[in-house]
Amino acid sequence: MSALLEVAGAVTGYGRTRVLHGLSLTLNEGRSLGVCGPNGHGKTTLMRAVSGLLRLWEGDVRFDGKSIARSAPQSIVEAGLIHVPQGNRLFPELSVAENLRLGAYSQRARPNEAENLERVFALFPKLKTRRSQKCRTLSGGERQMLSIGVGVMAQPRLLILDEPNLGLAPIVKEELGEAIQDIAERDITLILIEQDIEFIMSVTNHTLVVEQGEITVDTSIAGDMTHEEIVSRYFGENA
Amino acid sequence: MSLDAIQSILSSAVVLGSLYAIMAAGLALTWTTLGIFNFAHGALMMIGAYFAWQIGADAGFGLGVAAGMAIGVAALVGLGVVFERLVIRPFLGSRQVVLITVITTLAAMIFIQNSALLTWGPRMKQMPPVLPQGISVMGISFSAAELLIVIAAPVTLIALWLFLTRTRLGTAVRAVAQNPEAAALMGLNVSRLYSLAFAVSAGLAGFSGILLGSMRFITPTMGVEPLIKALVVVIFGGLGSLGGTIGAAYIIGFLEATSIYFIGLYWTPALLFLVIIVVLVIRPQGLFGKE
């Protein structure tokens, strides 16, 4: 099994403020990775660096063996690395169908557009009924479904979901959770950023905890903490 | 009010409205995609008219009006790409991009105007007529140039609308305006789409300039007054919607034609601005704009 994504010694930040302090990780094809940790400790920053929105100051990111640290977001998408950002507003004045169509904008996704659209509508039947509605009229949960749907439309080899459940009602979370589980069980390699440890545990193969811009826990390393220990560490003994 | 008066008002309303619609659509396109008001839009109109004259008129290369129009619009499309590269792109990352581009596009306007003055001199130019004589529709007579505008405007605008709503590329242009970061994460080439928006906008500017130049005289400052009208139209229609902009263009054209007939040319701009102020007080989002 070869590494699909390798981050080596990533250092970056905003302005002069360092957020990531030499962070490294490896993710094999077909696996799914959960990333958790307190807010403001670099989870989202890491993903922005991986998808080319933010330049690395030091270190390297390799996708499928090739360095993408200097690549534009467009060519990273073209390679099949798809990042669904946190609180994605998408394109508020475009319809649901138009948003999905733009999800399949890259050359690699275009041939499978119809097939992927079927898949998105199977995952989220609600989107099918709302297909001609403008995106800004959707509820928070529906917009999150659309964000994930747009990611699926892009024919991802690696799909990064950044806090898809943020601010949603429990019942909506459940619906989204099932869809994310479904995606993780297929051939798509997944990175899931989440605060909900239970949810991460149920979906992903292993989990990283990012604190102060470094990985402090890696459950794939033998002898390290188990999921249960992470829970007790962050949420107290009774969580 | 005589029938003649109504006919005369209507015909000039349709002509003015059509001209404003093409101008304002080009202006609105860059405004909605990049959030930048291009003060050089009028200067681009003017340079388009000069290009067409240079290529088409007998005093220029004498290749005929049709060739002048086609090459003029094509040249402006290319100029739009260069314009975006030089005047807009270097400042796109900046936080004060709106303020900076007010200055840079104003500077470009002055630069283009003076280049035209140096190249073609201060003497007015006139485009040779497209057709030898005018034509009469339902008792209203149009000159050939006016007829061309009345027909070309809806065709151009429908083509623009189809491009923006029915093609993947056009949808991408609209999307980039709404959320550049999400666009980048979907693999849209944001800077190339900005170039495209400017190319189309400059092409529309050139086309409207050529049409205006075939109706009136061509001078280095011929774009100044239409720019203000286009600004009025875009604000009046409400930012962001092409349909609103087009509707507003025809309404402003009608208001202007009526006002010129009854009040006269001198007070017409003042009246237009008064209408704008009233509309914005009642509906700050513009006549057709959303909340």
Side-chain angles (χ1 to χ4, degrees), chain A residues 48 90-91 93 98 104 113, chain B residues 168 174 178-179 181 187:
Chain A
R48 289 174 65 86
L90 293 158
F91 306 119
E93 297 299 325
E98 282 175 322
E113 185 177 348
Chain B
R168 195 191 292 266
R174 287 189 296 144
Q178 295 167 29
N179 194 344
E181 189 167 296

Side-chain angles (χ1 to χ4, degrees), chain A residues 6-19:
Chain A
E6 287 172 274
V7 178
V11 177
T12 189
Y14 303 96
R16 283 185 193 161
T17 316
R18 238 173 222 241
V19 179

Side-chain angles (χ1 to χ4, degrees), chain B residues 44 75-85 194-195 198-200 202-203:
Chain B
L44 293 173
L76 259 287
V77 168
L79 189 62
V81 174
V82 176
F83 184 92
E84 194 268 342
R85 243 328 127 80
Y194 284 165
S195 285
F198 255 91
V200 174

Side-chain angles (χ1 to χ4, degrees), chain B residues 248-266:
Chain B
Y250 284 96
I251 292 173
I252 295 285
F254 180 75
L255 277 177
E256 190 176 348
T258 315
S259 152
I260 287 174
Y261 191 87
F262 290 107
I263 305 170
L265 196 58
Y266 189 75

